[in-house]
Amino acid sequence: MEIKYDKIVSEGQQLRAIVMIHGWQGNKDSFKSISKLLKINNTTWFFPEAPYSYNGNDLKKTWTYEKYPGVWEIEEPKEKLKSFFKECIFTEFSSENVYVMGFSQGAAVCYEFVLSLENKLGGVFPIAGFIRDQKPPTLNVHKNQKSTPIIIGHGKNDDIVSIDSSKTAYEKLKKICKNVELNIYNGGHKISLSYLNKVKELILNDIDNKR
């Protein structure tokens, strides 16, 4: 089972790719409204869909599954995502012009997989996410991502994923990475327009600086 995805190609010369990783029980349609809201031209938007169905419902997807009580499959989805980025993203775009946004479980994918990629990225944007409990509790950030811009977003009233999860991720990443920021906004388990505008500004300025 490979990663299925949709993509939207905006107007103009395609200068960049933005990869949107949905959360638990989401699917490849979950983030499409955000691409329309942000209106970033010269961009190809990719919407990968998690490979596992939640409770047999093909409209609700998850990036991992419980192999047996308390043990979750981690390596298999990482290998699927690795193939997706290599074959579908990096064949079309230089990795430094690729930006990845993940929400909730998708943010956990950013922390545990995206930041481990060897190909240096243009930016990584985990929202309302968490670092999975591990022993030892470490982050596998590839050396090539240590200067990659990372903007963490989280609603201060999130009652699904505690804001403390993003604060913990921020503190861990600060010790490893040179360019990490925590953006706390009003609201609950959602994505703030103010946060999206901050991400948009970074993406547009980044391309301008590379010209």
Side-chain angles (χ1 to χ4, degrees):
M1 186 193 311
E2 303 304 321
I3 299 290
K4 296 179 180 178
Y5 69 96
D6 283 346
K7 70 179 181 180
I8 295 174
V9 180
S10 66
E11 296 180 3
Q13 179 187 1
Q14 299 306 290
L15 301 177
R16 64 180 77 82
I18 302 179
V19 182
M20 311 289 279
I21 303 178
H22 67 77
W24 184 59
Q25 297 191 49
N27 58 43
K28 60 187 178 181
D29 294 325
S30 299
F31 261 143
K32 288 179 180 175
S33 60
I34 289 181
S35 67
K36 296 175 183 176
L37 179 66
L38 286 179
K39 296 179 181 177
I40 304 177
N41 290 332
N42 309 109
T43 299
T44 300
W45 299 79
F46 289 85
F47 304 92
E49 184 170 85
Y52 312 111
S53 296
Y54 173 72
N55 282 350
N57 187 336
D58 281 341
L59 296 178
K60 296 181 178 182
K61 299 291 187 174
T62 175
W63 291 102
T64 184
Y65 61 91
E66 197 171 19
K67 295 195 294 185
Y68 41 89
V71 178
W72 296 82
E73 178 56 58
I74 300 299
E75 295 308 317
E76 184 178 274
K78 285 183 179 180
E79 287 302 311
K80 292 179 184 295
L81 280 164
K82 185 175 181 180
S83 295
F84 166 73
F85 273 87
K86 180 179 178 181
E87 297 169 10
C88 303
I89 308 296
F90 298 145
T91 53
E92 291 192 44
F93 295 91
S94 167
S95 66
E96 292 194 35
N97 294 330
V98 174
Y99 306 84
V100 183
M101 180 180 291
F103 177 73
S104 196
Q105 190 187 56
V109 172
C110 289
Y111 292 133
E112 295 195 27
F113 169 74
V114 174
L115 288 173
S116 72
L117 286 169
E118 179 180 3
N119 308 71
K120 178 173 170 51
L121 297 167
V124 180
F125 314 117
I127 309 161
F130 54 91
I131 298 173
R132 180 177 54 89
D133 291 336
Q134 325 176 57
K135 294 181 181 180
T138 57
L139 278 172
N140 180 24
V141 179
H142 194 280
K143 63 181 180 180
N144 293 340
Q145 307 298 352
K146 291 187 177 180
S147 61
T148 298
I150 304 167
I151 304 179
I152 300 170
H154 211 122
K156 63 173 65 174
N157 303 120
D158 192 335
D159 60 355
I160 304 297
V161 177
S162 169
I163 193 173
D164 291 338
S165 297
S166 283
K167 290 179 178 178
T168 296
Y170 173 66
E171 292 300 327
K172 288 181 179 294
L173 285 170
K174 266 202 317 183
K175 298 174 182 178
I176 305 170
C177 301
K178 301 176 182 177
N179 196 358
V180 57
E181 175 182 341
L182 175 60
N183 185 260
I184 298 172
Y185 46 80
N186 292 326
H189 197 61
K190 66 175 188 176
I191 305 174
S192 159
L193 182 58
S194 63
Y195 173 84
L196 290 174
N197 285 332
K198 183 180 288 287
V199 168
K200 179 177 179 177
E201 181 181 15
L202 183 149
I203 291 172
L204 293 176
N205 290 340
D206 191 37
I207 288 292
D208 289 340
N209 292 335
K210 289 171 182 173
R211 289 180 175 174

